[in-house]
Amino acid sequence: MFEADTTEKTNRGTPSLDSQLVEEIQRHGEPMQRLANEVAKTLVGQQVLVHRLLVGLLTGGHLLIEGVPGLAKTTAVATLSKAIHANFQRLQFTPDLLPADLIGTQVYRPAQQEFVVQKGPIFANLILADEINRAPAKVQSALLEAMQDRQVTIGSETFPLPDPFLVMATQNPVEQEGTYPLPEAQMDRFMMKVVVDYPTRDEELEILSRMSRTRRVDEVVAVTTPEEIVRARDLVDQVFVDRRIAEYIVDLVMATRKCEAYGLPITQWIQFGASPRATINLTLAAKANAFLHRRAYVTPQDVKDIAMDVLRHRVMITYEAEAEEKTSEHIVQMILDAVAVP
C-alpha cells in the first residue's frame, strides 16, 4: 500500500541524514505495512481512510470520520483494532448517554462504607465513538480532558489513560434530526477530519463479491502490538523538517487568519481561522506521512497531501460564504493553491 520513497537525499533542503535512523524507519515501517494489508482483507478500497488511521496511530492524533451511512466507517476502525494487540472499546453515542457511562463514576460499597472508583470504557487503547454527534454536549465535553491530556478525573482523583490512546469518532452528515453539533473546542482536538466518499464501480463489485453472503469469515488477525506503535512514534518524532518546510506549514495556517496578506481577498468568507494546534498537527501528520513512505525527512508534498484533512474542520466560515455556497474545503484549497511551495 505504501511504497518507499527512493528520492535521493541530496534534494534541496534535505540534510545528510543519520543512516541508522533511516534503517530504523525502514524496519519499523514494516509493521505499519502489515497493518494496512491486514485491514485490506476486510475493507475494500478506502485507501485514504486507512492511511489517515495509520497517521493517527503514529502521532496519537484523534480522528473524526464523516460519511453517509454504509461506507464502512465503523468497519474500518473495528478492523484496525482487531489487527492490533490492544484494548478496544466501541461506544455507541446516544441522546441518553451520561458522562459516567463514558469515563466512570464513584460507587458506594456498604460493606466497606466507602466510595470506590468504577472506571468506564474510555480506559482502552482504541476508542470508537460511533455517531459522536448524537450525544449531548455534557457527554462530548467529558471527552475533552481525555483527548487533550490523556487523563480522566473521577471525583477528586485523576487517572492516566493507557498508552497508546486514540479516539476515532464517526458522524453522519446527512441525518441531522436528534444530533448535537460538536463544539469548536472539541472539533479542534481532532487532528484530522476525514471525509469518506462512495467506492468506485470496481470496488463496489469487489464488495458485492465479498459481502453478499449470510455468514462472513473474520479473517483479521493481530499483526502488531502497542509497543511497536510506541516505538514507531519515537521514530516519527525524529523525522527531519527543514526550516523552509516549517515556514510553509506556518504560512498555510496563517493564511486562514490573514488571507489578504497572501493575495486572497476572501476575508468575508472566514469567521475564524485555524489555531496553533493546527500548525502542530499538520507538522506531526506530515512527519507520519513521510515515515509511512519510509523517509526520514518531510517534503512539501507530505504537507499538501495531509493539509486538507487537518485544516477543513478548523476553518469556520461566515453566513456570507454559505450564501455563496462556499465551504471550508473550498477555502483551504484556495489557500493551498495560493501559498508558494518551497
Side-chain angles (χ1 to χ4, degrees):
M1 182 176 179
F2 306 110
E3 297 181 358
D5 194 320
T6 57
T7 307
E8 292 295 326
K9 298 175 189 174
T10 54
N11 280 356
R12 184 180 67 173
T14 305
S16 177
L17 298 172
D18 184 358
S19 59
Q20 183 178 354
L21 174 60
V22 175
E23 291 174 4
E24 287 278 302
I25 288 176
Q26 292 287 335
R27 183 166 68 254
H28 288 278
E30 186 60 32
M32 295 299 106
Q33 182 66 63
R34 294 201 308 268
L35 194 56
N37 293 340
E38 196 64 27
V39 172
K41 291 181 180 179
T42 299
L43 195 68
V44 178
Q46 304 293 8
Q47 285 90 351
V48 172
L49 174 58
V50 174
H51 177 272
R52 302 307 191 256
L53 289 172
L54 295 182
V55 169
L57 280 176
L58 288 170
T59 59
H62 310 295
L63 271 68
L64 179 62
I65 306 169
E66 181 177 281
V68 298
L71 296 186
K73 302 184 299 295
T74 302
T75 300
V77 178
T79 303
L80 180 74
S81 68
K82 292 176 184 178
I84 304 172
H85 286 283
N87 296 324
F88 169 69
Q89 286 286 351
R90 174 178 175 174
L91 307 177
Q92 192 65 48
F93 279 49
T94 57
D96 60 346
L97 195 70
L98 297 173
D101 298 328
L102 182 66
I103 65 174
T105 188
Q106 290 182 317
V107 178
Y108 183 71
R109 291 186 176 174
Q112 291 79 24
Q113 295 187 349
E114 63 179 5
F115 285 92
V116 296
V117 172
Q118 184 71 42
K119 294 182 178 180
I122 201 170
F123 287 88
N125 295 113
L126 301 177
I127 300 294
L128 170 57
D130 207 8
E131 295 192 276
I132 189 173
N133 57 335
R134 293 204 173 277
K138 61 183 178 181
V139 177
Q140 294 175 5
S141 63
L143 275 175
L144 293 180
E145 182 183 15
M147 292 173 67
Q148 180 63 29
D149 301 322
R150 266 64 174 183
Q151 66 182 28
V152 167
T153 300
I154 304 174
S156 59
E157 296 184 73
T158 299
F159 301 91
L161 292 168
D163 188 30
F165 173 75
L166 185 65
V167 174
M168 293 168 282
T170 67
Q171 69 176 14
N172 178 356
V174 294
E175 192 178 346
Q176 297 302 320
E177 185 176 351
T179 62
Y180 303 82
L182 298 183
E184 284 76 8
Q186 186 169 1
M187 289 286 285
D188 198 39
R189 281 168 171 78
F190 285 103
M191 169 180 264
M192 290 179 288
K193 178 182 176 182
V194 184
V195 177
V196 182
D197 203 354
Y198 287 107
T200 65
R201 185 176 185 276
D202 290 340
E203 290 171 349
E204 193 124 1
L205 283 170
E206 179 63 22
I207 292 171
L208 184 151
S209 175
R210 291 192 194 184
M211 304 298 180
S212 59
R213 61 191 70 182
T214 56
R215 294 185 180 180
R216 301 177 200 157
V217 179
D218 189 357
E219 300 177 347
V220 180
V221 297
V223 295
T224 188
T225 63
E227 290 76 21
E228 286 185 314
I229 293 171
V230 170
R231 176 55 186 151
R233 285 183 179 180
D234 292 338
L235 294 173
V236 169
D237 287 339
Q238 299 178 53
V239 171
F240 176 76
V241 181
D242 185 75
R243 171 77 180 187
R244 282 169 290 186
I245 302 288
E247 290 176 348
Y248 177 53
I249 292 171
V250 171
D251 284 339
L252 289 174
V253 176
M254 290 294 295
T256 67
R257 308 172 199 162
K258 300 179 180 180
C259 49
E260 289 186 350
Y262 296 87
L264 290 167
I266 55 174
T267 305
Q268 72 278 11
W269 292 345
I270 302 176
Q271 185 176 12
F272 298 107
S275 72
R277 193 179 279 127
T279 306
I280 297 170
N281 287 341
L282 184 51
T283 305
L284 285 173
K287 291 167 76 171
N289 192 50
F291 176 90
L292 289 171
H293 289 90
R294 313 291 179 86
R295 276 186 280 101
Y297 58 92
V298 173
T299 67
Q301 193 60 47
D302 289 321
V303 178
K304 296 193 75 170
D305 287 346
I306 214 83
M308 179 63 75
D309 292 331
V310 174
L311 296 175
R312 60 156 50 101
H313 59 297
R314 292 185 162 94
V315 176
M316 303 293 111
I317 62 174
T318 62
Y319 289 115
E320 185 174 348
E322 292 181 7
E324 297 186 30
E325 298 184 344
K326 299 296 182 182
T327 65
S328 59
E329 284 90 348
H330 287 129
I331 293 171
V332 172
Q333 189 58 57
M334 291 174 70
I335 291 172
L336 287 171
D337 293 339
V339 176
V341 178

